[in-house]
Amino acid sequence: MYYGWRAKIGLIIPVNGAAPEYEFHKYAPDGVATLTQRLLFEKVDRTGLEALGAQVEDAARLLAHAGPDLLMFGCTTGSLIKGAGYDAQLCRRMEAAAGGIPSLTTSTAVLRALKALKAKKVAVATPYSAAVDEAERKFLEDNGFEVLSIRGLGYTEPNCMPATTFNQMYRLSGEVMCPEADVLFVSCTGLGVADGIPMLERDFGVPVVTSNQASLWCALRALSIRDDVGLGELFRH
Protein backbone atom coordinates (compact mmCIF):
# COMPACT_ATOMS: atom_id res chain seq x y z
CA MET A 1 0.00 0.00 0.00
CA TYR A 2 1.22 3.50 -0.81
CA TYR A 3 2.92 5.07 2.21
CA GLY A 4 1.01 8.17 3.27
CA TRP A 5 -1.98 7.56 1.01
CA ARG A 6 -4.18 9.63 3.30
CA ALA A 7 -1.73 12.39 4.22
CA LYS A 8 1.98 13.05 4.73
CA ILE A 9 3.22 15.23 7.59
CA GLY A 10 6.68 16.75 7.30
CA LEU A 11 8.06 16.93 10.85
CA ILE A 12 11.01 19.23 11.58
CA ILE A 13 12.59 18.49 14.96
CA PRO A 14 15.76 19.01 17.01
CA VAL A 15 18.42 16.41 16.34
CA ASN A 16 18.38 15.03 19.90
CA GLY A 17 16.03 12.21 20.83
CA ALA A 18 13.29 10.23 19.13
CA ALA A 19 10.07 11.05 21.01
CA PRO A 20 8.39 13.18 18.29
CA GLU A 21 8.98 10.56 15.59
CA TYR A 22 8.01 7.68 17.85
CA GLU A 23 4.79 9.28 19.06
CA PHE A 24 3.77 10.50 15.59
CA HIS A 25 4.39 7.06 14.07
CA LYS A 26 2.70 5.22 16.94
CA TYR A 27 -0.45 7.33 17.12
CA ALA A 28 -0.99 8.60 13.57
CA PRO A 29 -4.13 7.07 12.03
CA ASP A 30 -3.94 4.54 9.19
CA GLY A 31 -2.76 6.13 5.99
CA VAL A 32 -0.91 9.04 7.63
CA ALA A 33 2.86 9.09 7.17
CA THR A 34 5.48 11.14 9.02
CA LEU A 35 8.59 12.34 7.19
CA THR A 36 11.32 13.84 9.37
CA GLN A 37 14.06 16.45 9.03
CA ARG A 38 16.37 17.29 11.96
CA LEU A 39 17.97 20.51 13.20
CA LEU A 40 21.19 21.04 15.11
CA PHE A 41 20.42 21.83 18.78
CA GLU A 42 23.25 22.62 21.16
CA LYS A 43 21.74 24.16 24.29
CA VAL A 44 18.28 24.71 25.77
CA ASP A 45 18.67 28.42 26.34
CA ARG A 46 17.70 31.55 24.41
CA THR A 47 20.69 31.35 22.07
CA GLY A 48 20.24 27.67 21.31
CA LEU A 49 16.49 27.96 20.83
CA GLU A 50 16.79 30.98 18.54
CA ALA A 51 19.35 29.01 16.50
CA LEU A 52 16.68 26.36 15.86
CA GLY A 53 14.38 28.98 14.37
CA ALA A 54 17.15 30.17 12.10
CA GLN A 55 17.34 26.69 10.53
CA VAL A 56 13.67 26.05 9.78
CA GLU A 57 13.63 27.55 6.29
CA ASP A 58 16.44 25.33 5.00
CA ALA A 59 14.76 22.32 6.61
CA ALA A 60 11.38 23.20 5.10
CA ARG A 61 12.94 23.73 1.67
CA LEU A 62 14.62 20.33 1.80
CA LEU A 63 11.65 18.44 3.23
CA ALA A 64 9.35 19.94 0.60
CA HIS A 65 11.01 17.66 -1.98
CA ALA A 66 9.35 14.67 -0.23
CA GLY A 67 5.93 16.11 -1.02
CA PRO A 68 4.37 16.51 2.45
CA ASP A 69 0.85 17.88 2.72
CA LEU A 70 1.79 19.91 5.81
CA LEU A 71 4.94 20.90 7.70
CA MET A 72 5.22 20.95 11.49
CA PHE A 73 8.15 22.52 13.36
CA GLY A 74 8.09 20.19 16.34
CA CYS A 75 9.70 22.20 19.10
CA THR A 76 7.77 24.04 21.80
CA THR A 77 10.16 26.65 23.17
CA GLY A 78 12.03 26.86 19.89
CA SER A 79 8.85 28.23 18.36
CA LEU A 80 7.97 30.67 21.16
CA ILE A 81 11.31 31.95 22.45
CA LYS A 82 10.94 35.35 20.75
CA GLY A 83 7.48 35.96 22.19
CA ALA A 84 3.88 36.21 21.02
CA GLY A 85 3.61 36.10 17.25
CA TYR A 86 6.94 34.34 16.73
CA ASP A 87 5.20 31.05 15.99
CA ALA A 88 3.11 32.67 13.26
CA GLN A 89 6.24 34.28 11.81
CA LEU A 90 7.94 30.88 11.65
CA CYS A 91 4.90 29.39 9.93
CA ARG A 92 5.04 32.07 7.24
CA ARG A 93 8.77 31.60 6.73
CA MET A 94 8.42 27.83 6.42
CA GLU A 95 5.55 28.12 3.96
CA ALA A 96 7.48 30.55 1.78
CA ALA A 97 10.58 28.35 1.81
CA ALA A 98 8.56 25.22 1.01
CA GLY A 99 6.70 26.71 -1.94
CA GLY A 100 3.41 27.26 -0.16
CA ILE A 101 3.07 24.00 1.80
CA PRO A 102 0.88 24.79 4.87
CA SER A 103 3.06 25.01 7.97
CA LEU A 104 2.56 24.92 11.74
CA THR A 105 4.66 24.94 14.90
CA THR A 106 4.23 23.15 18.20
CA SER A 107 3.55 26.37 20.10
CA THR A 108 0.85 27.23 17.53
CA ALA A 109 -0.61 23.77 18.11
CA VAL A 110 -0.55 24.20 21.90
CA LEU A 111 -2.43 27.51 21.65
CA ARG A 112 -5.07 25.90 19.43
CA ALA A 113 -5.34 22.91 21.76
CA LEU A 114 -5.88 25.10 24.83
CA LYS A 115 -8.53 27.08 22.97
CA ALA A 116 -10.27 23.90 21.82
CA LEU A 117 -10.40 22.75 25.44
CA LYS A 118 -11.78 26.18 26.46
CA ALA A 119 -8.90 26.57 28.91
CA LYS A 120 -8.35 29.86 30.66
CA LYS A 121 -6.05 28.82 33.52
CA VAL A 122 -3.21 26.35 33.03
CA ALA A 123 -0.61 24.54 35.11
CA VAL A 124 2.62 23.79 33.27
CA ALA A 125 5.29 21.13 33.89
CA THR A 126 8.53 21.29 31.89
CA PRO A 127 12.08 19.93 31.83
CA TYR A 128 13.47 23.45 31.26
CA SER A 129 15.45 26.00 33.24
CA ALA A 130 13.73 28.86 35.09
CA ALA A 131 14.72 31.30 32.32
CA VAL A 132 13.10 29.21 29.58
CA ASP A 133 10.06 28.59 31.80
CA GLU A 134 9.66 32.34 32.15
CA ALA A 135 9.74 32.79 28.37
CA GLU A 136 7.03 30.13 28.05
CA ARG A 137 4.94 31.74 30.78
CA LYS A 138 5.10 35.10 29.02
CA PHE A 139 4.20 33.56 25.65
CA LEU A 140 1.13 31.82 27.08
CA GLU A 141 -0.01 34.86 29.05
CA ASP A 142 0.49 37.21 26.10
CA ASN A 143 -1.75 34.84 24.13
CA GLY A 144 -4.53 35.16 26.70
CA PHE A 145 -3.99 32.27 29.14
CA GLU A 146 -3.38 32.60 32.86
CA VAL A 147 -0.43 30.48 33.98
CA LEU A 148 -1.22 29.52 37.57
CA SER A 149 2.03 27.64 38.04
CA ILE A 150 5.01 26.57 35.96
CA ARG A 151 7.97 24.53 37.09
CA GLY A 152 10.83 22.78 35.33
CA LEU A 153 13.56 20.27 36.03
CA GLY A 154 16.26 22.83 35.29
CA TYR A 155 17.83 21.15 32.24
CA THR A 156 19.82 23.09 29.64
CA GLU A 157 21.47 20.10 27.95
CA PRO A 158 19.31 18.90 25.01
CA ASN A 159 20.17 15.24 25.60
CA CYS A 160 18.56 15.43 29.04
CA MET A 161 15.10 15.82 27.49
CA PRO A 162 14.81 12.35 25.91
CA ALA A 163 16.36 10.84 29.05
CA THR A 164 13.62 12.31 31.26
CA THR A 165 11.22 9.61 32.46
CA PHE A 166 7.45 9.66 32.63
CA ASN A 167 7.80 9.10 36.38
CA GLN A 168 9.70 12.38 36.73
CA MET A 169 7.11 14.32 34.76
CA TYR A 170 4.24 12.65 36.63
CA ARG A 171 5.67 13.78 39.97
CA LEU A 172 6.38 17.27 38.67
CA SER A 173 2.85 17.48 37.27
CA GLY A 174 1.48 16.71 40.70
CA GLU A 175 3.57 19.52 42.16
CA VAL A 176 2.35 22.16 39.68
CA MET A 177 -1.30 21.12 39.64
CA CYS A 178 -3.78 23.27 41.54
CA PRO A 179 -7.58 23.05 41.87
CA GLU A 180 -8.19 26.15 39.76
CA ALA A 181 -6.36 24.83 36.67
CA ASP A 182 -8.49 24.01 33.63
CA VAL A 183 -5.71 22.09 31.86
CA LEU A 184 -2.36 20.53 32.68
CA PHE A 185 0.25 21.27 29.99
CA VAL A 186 3.36 19.05 29.92
CA SER A 187 5.74 20.96 27.68
CA CYS A 188 8.58 19.76 25.40
CA THR A 189 8.51 17.61 22.27
CA GLY A 190 11.65 15.86 23.53
CA LEU A 191 9.64 14.14 26.26
CA GLY A 192 8.13 10.72 25.55
CA VAL A 193 5.03 11.10 27.71
CA ALA A 194 2.08 10.63 25.34
CA ASP A 195 1.42 7.07 26.52
CA GLY A 196 0.68 8.44 30.00
CA ILE A 197 -1.93 11.03 29.00
CA PRO A 198 -4.97 8.90 29.96
CA MET A 199 -3.45 8.21 33.38
CA LEU A 200 -2.62 11.87 33.96
CA GLU A 201 -6.17 12.87 33.08
CA ARG A 202 -7.66 10.27 35.42
CA ASP A 203 -5.36 11.10 38.31
CA PHE A 204 -5.45 14.88 38.08
CA GLY A 205 -9.04 15.27 36.87
CA VAL A 206 -8.37 17.76 34.05
CA PRO A 207 -7.62 17.53 30.32
CA VAL A 208 -3.92 17.14 29.56
CA VAL A 209 -2.00 18.72 26.70
CA THR A 210 1.50 17.55 25.77
CA SER A 211 3.68 19.02 23.06
CA ASN A 212 3.71 16.02 20.70
CA GLN A 213 0.04 15.21 21.29
CA ALA A 214 -0.98 18.80 20.49
CA SER A 215 1.29 18.85 17.43
CA LEU A 216 -0.21 15.64 16.03
CA TRP A 217 -3.77 16.75 16.84
CA CYS A 218 -3.29 20.14 15.21
CA ALA A 219 -1.65 18.67 12.10
CA LEU A 220 -4.40 16.07 11.65
CA ARG A 221 -7.20 18.59 12.14
CA ALA A 222 -5.54 20.98 9.68
CA LEU A 223 -5.60 18.08 7.20
CA SER A 224 -9.31 17.46 7.94
CA ILE A 225 -8.54 14.12 9.63
CA ARG A 226 -10.81 13.74 12.67
CA ASP A 227 -9.79 10.39 14.12
CA ASP A 228 -9.73 9.92 17.88
CA VAL A 229 -6.37 8.20 18.42
CA GLY A 230 -6.84 7.75 22.16
CA LEU A 231 -4.64 10.58 23.41
CA GLY A 232 -7.01 12.12 25.91
CA GLU A 233 -9.78 14.68 25.90
CA LEU A 234 -8.14 16.81 23.21
CA PHE A 235 -8.71 14.20 20.51
CA ARG A 236 -12.40 14.08 21.29
CA HIS A 237 -12.63 17.67 20.00
Side-chain angles (χ1 to χ4, degrees):
M1 185 177 290
Y2 175 68
Y3 187 59
W5 56 268
R6 199 173 177 192
K8 291 187 286 186
I9 300 170
L11 182 62
I12 299 170
I13 59 173
V15 70
N16 320 79
E21 289 164 313
Y22 174 79
E23 294 183 346
F24 267 60
H25 283 295
K26 179 174 181 176
Y27 287 104
D30 288 346
V32 177
T34 300
L35 316 171
T36 310
Q37 178 66 28
R38 290 174 176 264
L39 308 175
L40 181 64
F41 190 25
E42 297 184 291
K43 194 167 184 182
V44 192
D45 61 5
R46 179 169 291 274
T47 300
L49 292 165
E50 289 182 1
L52 285 174
Q55 300 174 68
V56 295
E57 286 156 300
D58 286 344
R61 192 176 294 114
L62 183 60
L63 198 48
H65 289 282
D69 299 291
L70 179 143
L71 295 174
M72 170 65 71
F73 174 32
C75 182
T76 318
T77 48
S79 57
L80 62 75
I81 193 63
K82 291 189 177 183
Y86 182 52
D87 61 312
Q89 177 196 125
L90 289 173
C91 292
R92 291 191 296 269
R93 286 167 47 194
M94 291 162 60
E95 283 190 21
I101 295 171
S103 299
L104 295 165
T105 77
T106 294
S107 60
T108 310
V110 168
L111 295 177
R112 292 186 184 181
L114 294 174
K115 289 173 184 174
L117 292 166
K118 296 182 169 53
K120 298 184 184 300
K121 300 178 180 182
V122 297
V124 187
T126 88
Y128 316 133
S129 66
V132 174
D133 280 349
E134 186 55 34
E136 182 158 63
R137 176 199 294 276
K138 188 174 189 315
F139 178 83
L140 292 170
E141 291 187 340
D142 287 348
N143 277 283
F145 301 98
E146 182 179 353
V147 178
L148 299 178
S149 58
I150 182 168
R151 191 176 307 170
L153 297 173
Y155 299 148
T156 58
E157 166 54 53
N159 289 327
C160 288
M161 310 310 185
T164 302
T165 66
F166 176 74
N167 296 355
Q168 289 175 282
M169 296 312 299
Y170 180 94
R171 290 194 297 269
L172 184 61
S173 296
E175 292 170 10
V176 300
M177 270 302 297
C178 47
E180 299 84 5
D182 302 315
V183 166
L184 168 65
F185 172 35
V186 183
S187 180
C188 186
T189 59
L191 300 174
V193 295
D195 291 352
I197 290 172
M199 179 191 297
L200 290 169
E201 292 193 337
R202 288 193 304 269
D203 288 1
F204 296 123
V206 296
V208 170
V209 171
T210 77
S211 293
N212 289 327
Q213 168 228 36
S215 297
L216 179 59
W217 170 84
C218 191
L220 293 174
R221 296 304 184 260
L223 293 165
S224 299
I225 296 173
R226 307 288 175 183
D227 297 44
D228 179 357
V229 302
L231 287 177
E233 179 66 24
L234 179 60
F235 271 87
R236 293 190 279 275
H237 283 259

